[in-house]
Amino acid sequence: MRICLLKTVSNTIRKQCYSTRNVRKVTHCIFDMDGLLLDTEQVYKKMITQLCAKYGHEYTDELMMKVLGGTEQRLSEILCKDLNLPVSPKEFRDQLLELGDTMLAGSPLLDGAERLIRHLHKTQVPFALATSSSERSVKTKIASYKDLFSHFHHMVMGSTDKEVKFGKPHPDIFLVAAARFPDKPKPEKCLVFEDSPHGVTAGVSAGMQVVMVPDPHLDKRLTSHATIVLPSLAKFQPEIFGLPPF
């Protein structure tokens, strides 16, 4: 079976098709948050750019790809080391969190996110959140959507969860998220939703299928390891993975 989507590129409508031949049925879903459910990636870019500029450095696209999807600790360690910043990773992270308290508040939901979450809740499909963010950042970001995010069975916050030993691209966060469902589904029964290459690698390494919704400017070669790639969550067809259709 193949699914085909119409996508507008440079004012030209193009047809993109994906094979579903090797797709397996799932029972549980696990979502990333930043850049997938909430439009926060550009805000993070502004925050980090601002902090790097404070110390006379540029936050390049190369650096951004290096830290994308990782924990706050790992991001801070990489930037402090690569840019030789005159602060410790902890100090850098503290400054990042402080900026986030105001800049991340009220971040808008991305296309298709609310519809999918409410659909899974209505049809009683168990789903969880697996984000690299800290509990502090998550509280700020979801404050405007408390009702919507209350539908998640649980949330794993990689930057502050002691059971997550290693952040993405390691599989820890998704394995922890799966283990916290009451029925403890096997990895192959879990479907991960991600936007970053590191996140997809983590999901695949955990033995799970991954629906990727990448930034439209991302190099297509960095999306090849996902099960399927979609332009937005609004294009997701649950029945392909054995889930109740819309």
Side-chain angles (χ1 to χ4, degrees):
M1 178 182 173
R2 290 167 67 81
I3 57 171
C4 295
L5 304 169
L6 294 179
K7 184 178 181 181
T8 302
V9 180
S10 300
N11 296 321
T12 301
I13 297 178
R14 296 180 182 176
K15 190 176 184 180
Q16 287 186 311
C17 296
Y18 306 97
S19 172
T20 60
R21 184 173 51 187
N22 299 318
V23 167
R24 305 185 304 269
K25 291 184 178 180
V26 300
T27 55
H28 297 64
C29 296
I30 304 175
F31 291 86
D32 175 46
M33 182 168 66
D34 295 296
L36 177 83
L37 301 177
L38 292 175
D39 191 7
T40 56
E41 294 296 0
Q42 289 305 309
V43 180
Y44 269 114
K45 185 176 182 180
K46 289 179 183 178
M47 288 164 53
I48 299 170
T49 296
Q50 184 176 320
L51 282 179
C52 289
K54 177 180 176 181
Y55 299 108
H57 291 278
E58 181 184 358
Y59 182 48
T60 63
D61 288 343
E62 183 181 359
L63 281 172
M64 183 171 69
M65 288 307 303
K66 202 169 181 179
V67 304
L68 192 63
T71 62
E72 294 160 0
Q73 296 98 315
R74 185 62 181 150
L75 176 153
S76 301
E77 289 168 3
I78 290 173
L79 293 179
C80 285
K81 179 181 178 182
D82 287 16
L83 298 177
N84 195 27
L85 299 181
V87 290
S88 68
K90 183 182 183 304
E91 290 171 321
F92 187 91
R93 183 191 172 206
D94 288 344
Q95 292 179 58
L96 188 66
L97 287 170
E98 189 172 344
L99 278 177
D101 287 341
T102 53
M103 292 180 70
L104 290 168
S107 296
L109 290 164
L110 284 165
D111 188 28
E114 182 169 6
R115 176 183 180 234
L116 178 54
I117 291 170
R118 294 198 183 281
H119 171 71
L120 294 177
H121 175 64
K122 181 180 179 181
T123 55
Q124 299 183 342
V125 175
F127 57 98
L129 190 73
T131 173
S132 296
S133 296
S134 63
E135 184 176 0
R136 174 176 170 179
S137 291
V138 171
K139 284 183 177 179
T140 298
K141 286 178 272 197
I142 70 173
S144 300
Y145 313 104
K146 288 182 179 179
D147 174 66
L148 184 66
F149 280 87
S150 71
H151 296 322
F152 284 80
H153 181 270
H154 56 275
M155 299 184 185
V156 181
M157 293 161 271
S159 288
T160 47
D161 195 305
K162 292 182 179 179
E163 286 190 47
V164 180
K165 302 300 181 185
F166 299 98
K168 302 170 187 176
H170 298 280
D172 302 38
I173 193 167
F174 292 120
L175 294 174
V176 169
R180 290 184 183 170
F181 285 113
D183 53 347
K184 301 186 185 305
K186 293 181 179 179
E188 58 264 30
K189 289 296 184 180
C190 297
L191 181 62
V192 168
F193 292 83
E194 265 286 355
D195 69 302
S196 76
H198 285 332
V200 175
T201 299
V204 172
S205 297
M208 302 174 184
Q209 296 177 98
V210 184
V211 174
M212 187 181 195
V213 185
D215 183 290
H217 302 105
L218 186 70
D219 188 329
K220 295 297 182 289
R221 290 172 296 181
L222 298 176
T223 69
S224 61
H225 53 323
T227 308
I228 62 171
V229 181
L230 301 175
S232 80
L233 287 176
K235 298 298 183 181
F236 178 63
Q237 297 175 34
E239 61 272 23
I240 292 172
F241 292 91
L243 298 171
F246 286 112

